[in-house]
Amino acid sequence: MIADHSSGHSAQLGNLSIRSRVLVVDDEPLVLEGLIRLLTDRGYDAFPAQGGCDALIAIGKQQFDIVLLDLGMPDLNGSEVLRFIADRGVETPVIVVSGESSIDAAILALRAGACDFVRKPYEYEELLRRIDNTLTRSRLEKENNHILQRLQQSEKWHRFLVNNSPDFIYTLDPQGHFTFVNDRLESLTGFLRNELMGQHYSVLIDDDDISRAENVFNERRAGDRSTRNIELKLKCKSGVRRPRLMQGRNKTVELTATGMYENDKNPFERRFIGSYGVVKDISERKQAEETVHYQTYHDLLTGLPNRALFRNHLGLLLAQNKRSTQSLAVLSLDLDHFKIINDSLGHSLGDELLLAIGTRLRQCLREGDTLARLGGDEFAILLPALSERNDIEPIGRKIIHVLSEPVYLKGHEVYVSASIGACVAPEDSDTVDSLIRQAEIAMYHAKTQGRSRLQFWESGMQAPYSERMQTEADLRRALARNEFVLFYQPQVNIATGEITGFEALLRWWHPQRGLLTPRDFISIAEESGVIVPIGDWVLRQASAQMADWSKAGLPQVRLSVNISARQLENPNFVDSVMRAVQVYALNGQQMELEITESLLMRDLEANAIKLGRLSATGIRIAIDDFGTGYSSFKYLSRFPIHTLKIDQSFIQELEREENISIVNAMVSMGRGMKLNVVAEGVESQGQLDQLQQINCHEMQGYFYSAPVSSHEATYMLSQPFRGFGALPDSAIA
Ligand code: C2E
Ligand code: CA
Ligand code: CA
């Protein structure tokens, strides 16, 4: 029975069917009992309240889905119960079930908050139908309320998101007036919302960008075809107290805008109702881009334009001048003997000197002139709007004069001079590259003609410089083309005549010029920096050679490798040496690095650290060309040194009495420091005899053998013992 009727009186909640709870209020026990039974039979959870007071207690304690309320009750009548319910804000629907027959009673009850009125006596079915209707209506209302609340919540969320967006979001009416702006407006532009609402968008656009902005702000396309990421400058309100981050009078932003159309019309005749857009603040990104741009185009030491920017300026001016009769001049300026000053003062004072020179040069020039630092101690000057060639001379004189004044650097009085080369466009040339090159060639000529002077470019003035440039270009290609080879010169124990090691010496098989020795190219390689990859190659090649010898079962001898200044200064130096040793699984003691003493003294601290790391792995250090620098034994003791190589200039004049005593002193000091002493450039029996007498350990020189190919060195190593009897066939001067 119950099951048959229960469907309409229970709400479905997932699989759980919850029975509706009905409070029945009547002072007549019989009526009350009858109703409770009826409702229970029909699947409701029915609760009795015998009178108004009971009803209030029940409502105060529990939740009901519906109340059936009698009006006339002795303790508290139905109207008062209704008022209580209304006052408390209880939302349970109430059906008044009453014997009152007047229409007024019904109206009063409905006004007091009842949702239906059923007159006694009633048909059970009629009452049940009314109950069911009321419950259904109440459930629908609840659901609606819930949806509404969710909508309101979601709208709140959207408003929150829009207002707290890091981007400025707006809408415009079809004429371009602001109809909505989010909170970000103020922090971005300094404008308040009410200052902008209703205003035309143009009040916000930087004057330069107005016409570009027109297209974007009038954007009528929607969806994928909208305008995306257009860069614009916004005006910022001046005079108001701005947030800390807002500096400058405008902000660079990126704008995305889309047209808005009425939704429900035929897509072909949809009405344009305005546009909306998102404005992203990209000033920080712009600033980063500007920094990168600055670094790309400026010399970071002096802040002057670099070569790239100088070329840009020159290119622009050349293009402009094509349309006028004006000339321009390019000056190339190079400090004389800067390398010596830099080496003796140290790099940081050298940098300060360059800064000071930059400032002085700038003072000689006019506003529109460009002064650039092209690299090292080389500057370039661009003089636009020149009326005649003669105008250059006084400027050159002024520069030379200003630079001749001493520079004071931390207690040092430093004198510099500069050589200047000049050429004029369009007379001499009208392209960027050839102008710069001609000015540089003229500058080199100024240097060869006694320095500290101005030299104009003249046609035919090429030779000395271009061979050098050719060599540099060839050098860059030589590694890739495998044109380098190593020669090996043996080092021999003076007492026994045994080969103790080899020095690896670089040779270049130049495709046109034949076999070149370092004298022909090493300084260019050094100055251009190509020496660094070449030096790496030498390290690897020498290591590979030692690995080959060891595989062939030949005696394990030392291999010495020459290290250049640029290599040693390179931050990767230590790693690249260690890598070479590791890749070929060498014993560190087999590798010796030859470093000249003047190079070692250049940066005492850094070199001591680097060499310390290397010698910790067993790698040996030799002081090359010892005696030619200005180092003292005191400094040398700070480095982990194993070998002292006495410079050949002392050995070759060993016949002179004073040299004998100098070499003697060097050998005994070296012995005192427990170093292996090697005499370089030994060419004769007489020199060897002297060295034997003063107990020098080892010798290297043409007397025993000139540097030889890898093939010949391998052959030498494989010979058991050769003594000093005769020169090997391979020995060539
Ligand atoms: P260095 O380190 O003083 O090398 C010794 C130079 O003296 C070599 O010249 C060698 O051929 C030469 N020599 C050897 N025995 C005699 C002799 O009895 N009499 C005379 N007059 N000379 C002798 P080389 O091979 O022309 O090298 C010249 C310089 O080039 C080297 O001087 C070294 O500073 C540099 N060098 C050579 N190979 C390399 C290298 O792989 N890397 C670097 N950075 N520099 C290198
Ligand atoms: Ca050497
Ligand atoms: Ca040497």
Side-chain angles (χ1 to χ4, degrees):
M1 215 21 198
I2 294 174
D4 286 348
H5 300 281
S6 61
S7 59
H9 320 308
S10 52
Q12 201 73 28
L13 204 98
N15 287 334
L16 207 74
S17 153
I18 298 170
R19 310 209 308 169
S20 300
R21 294 160 59 85
V22 186
L23 180 66
V24 185
V25 190
D26 207 310
D27 57 326
E28 272 295 331
L30 280 180
V31 176
L32 192 56
E33 209 174 300
L35 270 176
I36 296 286
R37 195 176 310 124
L38 170 73
L39 291 170
T40 310
D41 279 356
R42 293 300 179 92
Y44 292 96
D45 267 350
F47 301 85
Q50 198 170 8
C53 287
D54 273 5
L56 294 194
I57 292 167
I59 292 168
K61 276 195 199 149
Q62 302 176 50
Q63 288 258 340
F64 297 98
D65 296 309
I66 188 164
V67 177
L68 301 185
L69 181 64
D70 186 18
L71 280 184
M73 291 180 290
D75 58 343
L76 193 70
N77 69 35
S79 309
E80 278 162 306
V81 175
L82 277 172
R83 194 174 322 127
F84 173 86
I85 288 179
D87 288 351
R88 288 288 186 90
V90 176
E91 281 173 3
T92 315
V94 179
I95 299 180
V96 169
V97 185
S98 170
E100 295 264 1
S101 56
S102 72
I103 186 78
D104 287 353
I107 291 173
L108 272 175
L110 293 173
R111 279 218 183 113
C115 54
D116 204 350
F117 188 95
V118 178
R119 190 171 307 121
K120 288 177 184 168
Y122 42 79
E123 296 274 328
Y124 274 175
E125 290 308 322
E126 170 66 8
L127 177 65
L128 288 170
R129 203 172 50 76
R130 298 280 195 94
I131 292 174
D132 197 33
N133 283 348
T134 301
L135 278 173
T136 307
R137 202 168 49 234
S138 148
R139 197 168 50 239
L140 286 177
E141 248 165 47
K142 263 190 204 146
E143 275 169 18
N144 274 344
N145 273 341
H146 187 62
I147 290 171
L148 194 69
Q149 257 175 18
R150 288 220 325 237
L151 268 176
Q152 281 168 346
Q153 186 65 34
S154 130
E155 204 217 306
K156 236 159 83 183
W157 267 108
H158 275 95
R159 200 168 324 132
F160 176 83
L161 289 178
V162 165
N163 272 333
N164 288 279
S165 153
D167 302 331
F168 164 39
I169 298 172
Y170 67 85
T171 61
L172 298 179
D173 68 10
Q175 286 72 44
H177 302 109
F178 283 105
T179 48
F180 169 84
V181 293
N182 72 343
D183 290 353
R184 180 71 170 91
L185 169 78
E186 200 181 329
S187 58
L188 183 72
T189 65
F191 282 101
L192 299 177
R193 175 174 305 196
N194 57 16
E195 290 175 310
L196 220 64
M197 289 294 279
Q199 295 284 337
H200 193 255
Y201 69 79
S202 53
V203 299
L204 209 55
I205 309 297
D206 191 85
D207 298 341
D208 295 342
D209 282 352
I210 287 277
S211 61
R212 229 147 51 86
E214 236 163 74
N215 291 327
V216 192
F217 274 86
N218 290 337
E219 185 56 75
R220 282 178 175 246
R221 292 169 297 182
D224 288 346
R225 291 161 59 241
S226 56
T227 303
R228 281 183 193 281
N229 304 341
I230 300 297
E231 206 177 295
L232 282 177
K233 279 206 278 308
L234 291 193
K235 249 184 218 163
C236 290
K237 195 179 167 190
S238 44
V240 291
R241 216 187 45 171
R242 295 199 209 136
R244 191 170 49 84
L245 278 173
M246 273 190 44
Q247 277 152 0
R249 312 206 42 181
N250 55 37
K251 284 235 142 162
T252 312
V253 296
E254 209 169 62
L255 172 62
T256 301
T258 307
M260 296 191 290
Y261 294 86
E262 263 176 348
N263 240 343
D264 37 85
K265 287 224 175 120
N266 167 350
F268 296 105
E269 45 187 50
R270 289 193 314 171
R271 198 165 64 89
F272 176 62
I273 52 172
S275 59
Y276 68 87
V278 177
V279 179
K280 196 182 277 302
D281 179 4
I282 57 165
S283 17
E284 255 172 58
R285 193 183 83 201
K286 285 306 272 188
Q287 220 165 18
E289 280 170 10
E290 271 159 28
T291 310
V292 171
H293 185 268
Y294 181 86
Q295 289 174 349
T296 318
Y297 288 105
H298 289 83
D299 163 47
L300 295 185
L301 171 64
T302 57
L304 293 174
N306 63 10
R307 188 182 287 269
L309 188 54
F310 186 81
R311 290 172 49 93
N312 273 1
H313 283 194
L314 180 54
L316 275 175
L317 274 172
L318 286 173
Q320 275 173 21
N321 281 9
K322 282 223 168 87
R323 282 174 262 124
S324 73
T325 53
Q326 261 173 345
S327 304
L328 61 82
V330 175
L331 269 56
S332 165
L333 184 148
D334 195 276
L335 300 183
D336 300 326
H337 306 300
F338 178 73
K339 198 168 149 37
I340 298 174
I341 299 173
N342 202 30
D343 284 353
S344 57
L345 287 180
H347 289 275
S348 71
L349 279 190
D351 285 352
E352 274 183 46
L353 178 62
L354 287 171
L355 255 173
I357 302 282
T359 314
R360 284 194 190 179
L361 286 174
R362 190 66 256 179
Q363 284 160 359
C364 299
L365 303 174
R366 290 165 305 177
E367 185 91 24
D369 302 341
T370 302
L371 169 66
R373 178 172 174 228
L374 302 193
D377 56 341
E378 192 185 349
F379 294 85
I381 296 166
L382 175 57
L383 305 173
L386 213 63
S387 47
E388 55 171 342
R389 196 178 268 263
N390 288 343
D391 294 351
I392 303 173
E393 206 110 27
I395 298 174
R397 266 202 306 277
K398 190 165 153 199
I399 290 175
I400 288 169
H401 171 73
V402 164
L403 292 189
S404 69
E405 302 279 322
V407 182
Y408 297 96
L409 295 172
K410 299 223 168 82
H412 298 267
E413 194 181 64
V414 183
Y415 287 88
V416 287
S417 65
S419 302
I420 307 173
C423 64
V424 176
E427 291 95 302
D428 295 336
S429 163
D430 60 357
T431 67
V432 170
D433 285 318
S434 58
L435 282 167
I436 295 178
R437 209 165 61 86
Q438 286 170 355
E440 280 175 347
I441 292 170
M443 179 271 289
Y444 274 95
H445 276 258
K447 275 207 195 288
T448 56
Q449 277 156 28
R451 307 178 189 262
S452 196
R453 54 187 292 147
L454 170 72
Q455 171 71 54
F456 282 94
W457 184 78
E458 290 158 17
S459 57
M461 216 186 227
Q462 267 155 8
Y465 188 55
S466 55
E467 187 184 336
R468 198 187 161 79
M469 289 197 300
Q470 188 60 47
T471 306
E472 189 181 324
D474 288 350
L475 265 175
R476 290 187 191 279
R477 283 187 291 262
L479 262 182
R481 294 182 182 170
N482 233 341
E483 291 171 359
F484 291 111
V485 279
L486 286 186
F487 271 41
Y488 301 90
Q489 187 175 33
Q491 296 171 336
V492 182
N493 183 312
I494 289 180
T496 66
E498 248 177 323
I499 295 179
T500 50
F502 284 93
E503 176 175 6
L505 292 158
L506 186 61
R507 298 290 179 265
W508 180 11
W509 276 111
H510 192 283
Q512 282 89 39
R513 295 158 65 194
L515 189 66
L516 303 184
T517 62
R519 200 187 35 216
D520 303 312
F521 61 88
I522 209 93
S523 68
I524 300 176
E526 176 87 21
E527 279 157 31
S528 61
V530 194
I531 192 69
V532 175
I534 295 177
D536 273 349
W537 177 86
V538 171
L539 278 166
R540 274 179 279 124
Q541 184 66 21
S543 304
Q545 178 68 78
M546 271 193 285
D548 282 352
W549 284 340
S550 132
K551 242 185 269 158
L554 294 173
Q556 298 232 330
V557 292
R558 217 171 47 221
L559 193 53
S560 315
V561 172
N562 291 286
I563 299 300
S564 81
R566 290 287 276 266
Q567 245 179 309
L568 183 62
E569 282 162 8
N570 193 301
N572 297 326
F573 171 66
V574 173
D575 290 336
S576 69
V577 176
M578 295 221 238
R579 214 171 311 126
V581 170
Q582 278 157 8
V583 165
Y584 293 98
L586 301 177
N587 171 359
Q589 271 117 341
Q590 284 178 269
M591 167 83 80
E592 187 163 83
L593 305 179
E594 295 196 2
I595 300 172
T596 62
E597 54 173 338
S598 48
L599 172 54
L600 209 52
M601 295 301 136
R602 227 192 252 184
D603 194 348
L604 283 177
E605 305 302 326
N607 290 342
I609 293 172
K610 286 181 182 178
L611 299 187
R613 279 183 61 200
L614 285 171
S615 98
T617 69
I619 290 168
R620 299 164 57 97
I621 312 292
I623 303 289
D624 205 355
D625 302 348
F626 184 70
T628 57
Y630 46 80
S631 62
S632 69
F633 277 93
K634 189 179 96 203
Y635 283 124
L636 288 184
S637 62
R638 299 182 45 182
F639 297 101
I641 294 163
H642 306 84
T643 298
L644 217 53
K645 296 188 76 179
I646 301 176
D647 189 66
Q648 27 183 293
S649 57
F650 297 98
I651 308 300
Q652 274 155 22
E653 293 186 40
L654 255 188
E655 286 76 23
R656 280 171 50 197
E657 196 58 41
E658 68 184 77
N659 270 343
I660 296 179
S661 49
I662 292 177
V663 173
N664 195 5
M666 286 178 181
V667 171
S668 44
M669 276 192 275
R671 280 185 167 275
M673 291 171 74
K674 303 235 171 346
L675 300 178
N676 177 35
V677 185
V678 181
E680 284 193 291
V682 179
E683 293 180 352
S684 70
Q685 183 71 51
Q687 291 162 357
L688 176 61
D689 291 344
Q690 291 284 2
L691 289 166
Q692 262 168 340
Q693 262 176 29
I694 53 181
N695 262 333
C696 182
H697 299 111
E698 294 180 12
M699 59 148 269
Q700 176 184 346
Y702 295 162
F703 180 68
Y704 186 83
S705 167
V708 296
S709 69
S710 146
H711 184 75
E712 265 178 279
T714 308
Y715 173 78
M716 276 185 187
L717 260 188
S718 66
Q719 297 304 308
F721 176 69
R722 301 179 343 134
F724 290 120
L727 292 179
D729 304 339
S730 57
I732 33 161

